[in-house]
Amino acid sequence: MDSERPAVHVWDCAVGQLRRLGTVGAESTDYAEAGWRRTQRTPAVTWHPHQPLLLVSGENGLVQWTRAGFSEPEGLPATARYRNLAFSPNGRTLWASPSSGDEEDAWERSDVLDLASGTVGTGPSWDTGIAEHPAGGLVATLFSNQGATLGLFARVDDDTRPAAMRVLRRALILDADGYRPPIFSADGRHLAIRGNAYGNTLNVFEFPSLHCVLTTALGDPYPGYPYPPEWLEQMRAWSRHNIAFGVRPGVLWVGTPTGTLIEIDLHGQRAVEHDLLGGSPVTALTATTTGHLLVAGGGGELALLSLRADSLRADSATARTPDADASRAAVASFLAATSEVPDVGDLETHLVITDGTRTWERDDLESTTTATATDPSWLQLQAAVNTARAQDK
């Protein structure tokens, strides 16, 4: 993704070196005057899980990239202006939101497109990327509201055509909105979520327990409104695409505005800082399937780094092979401990939610009338609403 304009650059890094293959949106005007509309102009992208095929949904509609070049994908709705895209794990279905139907409530559902036939079905509400568990059979996504964001999990039904997401009752709840898509670790034992609209928070949860093992703010925490100018400048200095799990289980990497990478050991609760880009801010960070870290810098730099068991190296990567049996067992355990949400009715009435520390059934939330200043704002609001309802009776 380009930091100057709503463009997407495609690179080849298969042999440990970077080679530019093409750009989608190179003719777009820059972000300089976009302001808050920058988010709306940012393209949505998704890679096919098994083929060198990229879909980009931008200002000019949907564009498909393959090794043969760029083209317009066939069979998609003419009215589609998707903000989020994801291929199903088998690659034969495209999940997209918001719905291409009625604009009035388009965010209340999503499109499910059978790529072979071009048929369009209706799927559940989601709005912030979809992450597949490494063992397969389960995905995670987010459904956002200004007051709170739900971290939803869904069983993947590949037997249907198109492939369907069956949303499950167990869910996470995060304060406010504005998060980035969830990220599973390579071994499937952790789930990380960056956000939110009011600060550079970082939350990491164990899987399948959903126990929170790390919650922190990158930089100074949210000071409240009105924002002090120096805090706002600091918050904007942090990239929202700056986390990636390493090859070693329990290790999360975080890029900083000063060009360093922080290596966080989630098991040992330790952090080590590595100098990298000579002071140029890290604007994006991701892990490749070959066990490398790809780092982008504010000056246009791209660095492809090999990872060994416990550090950054300049030579070839020697990644540990995740325990596939343990990963599959974690998914099976999660599925066995919950059930699917019915297709009809209000989604939230069926969920059992947790913030990683406490868990609430729907009856618990509807009876809550007390909350302290240290509780998340969504819980304070819920308690206030319940108190007002009780007084009106």
Side-chain angles (χ1 to χ4, degrees):
M1 201 79 71
D2 198 311
S3 61
E4 300 297 328
R5 57 177 50 86
V8 176
H9 303 285
V10 183
W11 295 78
D12 182 359
C13 59
V15 294
Q17 295 180 339
L18 293 167
R19 180 169 63 94
R20 188 194 295 271
L21 299 178
T23 301
V24 181
E27 72 287 351
S28 302
T29 57
D30 62 35
Y31 281 128
E33 305 300 327
W36 63 269
R37 292 186 177 85
R38 175 170 179 152
T39 300
Q40 293 181 330
R41 296 186 62 199
T42 301
V45 300
T46 184
W47 280 103
H48 192 280
H50 311 300
Q51 302 173 23
L53 185 156
L54 179 73
L55 277 184
V56 179
S57 179
E59 294 179 314
N60 298 318
L62 280 160
V63 177
Q64 174 180 284
W65 175 88
T66 65
R67 293 188 186 277
F70 299 101
S71 61
E72 293 185 7
E74 298 178 357
L76 299 183
T79 57
R81 288 296 180 268
Y82 297 124
R83 297 297 307 134
N84 304 280
L85 300 172
F87 282 104
S88 66
N90 63 17
R92 294 193 293 267
T93 299
L94 180 67
W95 295 326
S97 74
S99 169
S100 58
D102 188 355
E103 293 185 3
E104 186 173 338
D105 58 354
W107 285 104
E108 298 304 314
R109 57 191 182 278
S110 60
D111 281 358
V112 180
L113 300 99
D114 185 334
L115 296 175
S117 66
T119 59
V120 182
T122 300
S125 304
W126 63 278
D127 58 33
T128 315
I130 292 176
E132 182 189 9
H133 191 276
L138 183 84
V139 295
T141 186
L142 303 181
F143 180 45
S144 307
N145 282 303
Q146 188 173 11
T149 293
L150 294 171
L152 301 177
F153 298 90
R155 181 179 66 82
V156 179
D157 190 349
D158 281 333
D159 294 331
T160 63
R161 188 166 179 175
M165 283 190 292
R166 309 297 186 189
V167 178
L168 303 169
R169 293 188 68 213
R170 288 185 71 189
L172 291 167
I173 188 164
L174 306 164
D175 213 12
D177 61 352
Y179 292 89
R180 300 303 306 159
I183 302 173
F184 277 111
S185 60
D187 62 1
R189 295 172 58 188
H190 291 95
L191 179 73
I193 303 175
R194 270 284 278 123
N196 54 47
Y198 305 98
N200 290 300
T201 60
L202 172 61
N203 295 283
V204 183
F205 303 89
E206 286 182 338
F207 186 87
S209 69
L210 302 186
H211 173 67
C212 185
V213 295
L214 175 66
T215 179
T216 188
L218 306 177
D220 295 334
Y222 177 60
Y225 188 83
Y227 315 127
E230 60 275 11
W231 176 86
L232 194 60
E233 181 180 1
Q234 181 196 73
M235 188 193 78
R236 290 173 174 170
W238 285 88
S239 166
R240 292 301 179 98
H241 306 269
N242 68 329
I243 64 171
F245 280 103
V247 296
R248 183 159 57 96
V251 171
L252 180 70
W253 294 87
V254 179
T256 74
T258 60
T260 62
L261 285 183
I262 301 174
E263 178 185 7
I264 301 176
D265 183 342
L266 297 170
H267 299 306
Q269 295 291 299
R270 296 185 300 270
V272 178
E273 194 166 10
H274 301 265
D275 291 328
L276 181 63
L277 296 181
S280 181
V282 174
T283 57
L285 177 65
T286 190
T288 71
T289 56
T290 57
H292 294 77
L293 282 181
L294 181 60
V295 189
E301 310 94 333
L302 280 179
L304 188 63
L305 306 173
S306 295
L307 291 176
R308 285 206 168 185
D310 58 356
S311 187
L312 291 172
R313 303 286 183 179
D315 48 8
S316 62
T318 53
R320 294 184 183 180
T321 302
D323 187 335
D325 289 339
S327 190
R328 286 191 292 267
V331 171
S333 173
F334 188 88
L335 293 174
T338 188
S339 59
E340 295 179 11
V341 170
D343 291 334
V344 296
D346 183 6
L347 168 69
E348 296 186 33
T349 63
H350 300 289
L351 298 179
V352 178
I353 59 174
T354 180
D355 62 359
T357 303
R358 293 173 290 177
T359 299
W360 295 269
E361 298 266 2
R362 173 51 52 180
D363 290 344
D364 298 330
L365 290 177
E366 292 181 349
S367 62
T368 297
T369 56
T370 58
T372 68
T374 59
D375 285 320
S377 59
W378 70 264
L379 187 58
Q380 296 180 48
L381 178 60
Q382 180 73 54
V385 170
N386 291 343
T387 298
R389 286 175 178 168
Q391 292 173 347
D392 288 341
K393 290 182 179 178

